[in-house]
Amino acid sequence: QVQLVESGGGLVPAGGSLRLSCATSGLIFSSYGMGWFRQAPGKEREFVAGISGSGDYTSYSDSAKGRFSISRDNAKMTVYLQMNSLKPEDTAVYYCAADYGVRSSYVPVHSGEYDYWGQGTQVTVSS
């Protein structure tokens, strides 16, 4: 049974930092591209960052570039999202997701590509 469990969310003032973690089980982790998405109240879920199965390739949304960093530890079967210089508009529920991929260099960026999702972790940035 595949499980993705996010942690690390919380309340942080604007300008602060958080590090989200997504621990996985039940899958061959290195065969999966991983991504972080977020959904704010009243808005659609949006892509934040993705990383290839090999960890060598990453992709970011425009809003995340320069502030967020995605990484993975294949030995720990965990993906991370380091978020710096947080803004109130970053407030959302953050979800991690896993996409089984044939190519270890591919970074999935569309939610429809992902096979498994976590339950989400709330990030609230106060102004």
Side-chain angles (χ1 to χ4, degrees), residues 67-114:
R67 299 188 300 127
F68 296 0
S69 178
I70 188 171
S71 61
R72 65 190 294 157
D73 185 332
N74 283 359
K76 294 182 178 179
M77 298 177 62
T78 300
V79 63
Y80 306 96
L81 185 67
Q82 177 67 43
M83 304 187 294
N84 300 325
S85 302
L86 282 162
K87 305 174 182 180
E89 51 264 44
D90 294 318
T91 295
V93 178
Y94 283 71
Y95 300 89
C96 75
D99 167 49
Y100 177 76
V102 175
R103 290 181 291 143
S104 63
S105 60
Y106 181 70
V107 181
V109 300
H110 302 291
S111 60
E113 298 182 271
Y114 285 85

Side-chain angles (χ1 to χ4, degrees), residues 3-82:
Q3 287 190 314
L4 284 68
V5 180
E6 301 97 335
S7 61
L11 175 64
V12 62
S17 297
L18 280 175
R19 188 194 195 203
L20 305 183
S21 299
C22 174
T24 73
S25 61
L27 48 72
I28 302 174
F29 187 65
S30 59
S31 295
Y32 285 77
M34 299 296 296
W36 286 96
F37 289 75
R38 68 186 183 187
Q39 188 166 18
K43 295 188 176 182
E44 293 186 354
R45 189 172 299 188
E46 63 175 354
F47 173 78
V48 176
I51 188 166
S52 63
S54 66
D56 293 333
Y57 300 91
T58 58
S59 180
Y60 296 92
S61 67
D62 288 343
S63 62
K65 284 178 184 176
R67 299 188 300 127
F68 296 0
S69 178
I70 188 171
S71 61
R72 65 190 294 157
D73 185 332
N74 283 359
K76 294 182 178 179
M77 298 177 62
T78 300
V79 63
Y80 306 96
L81 185 67
Q82 177 67 43

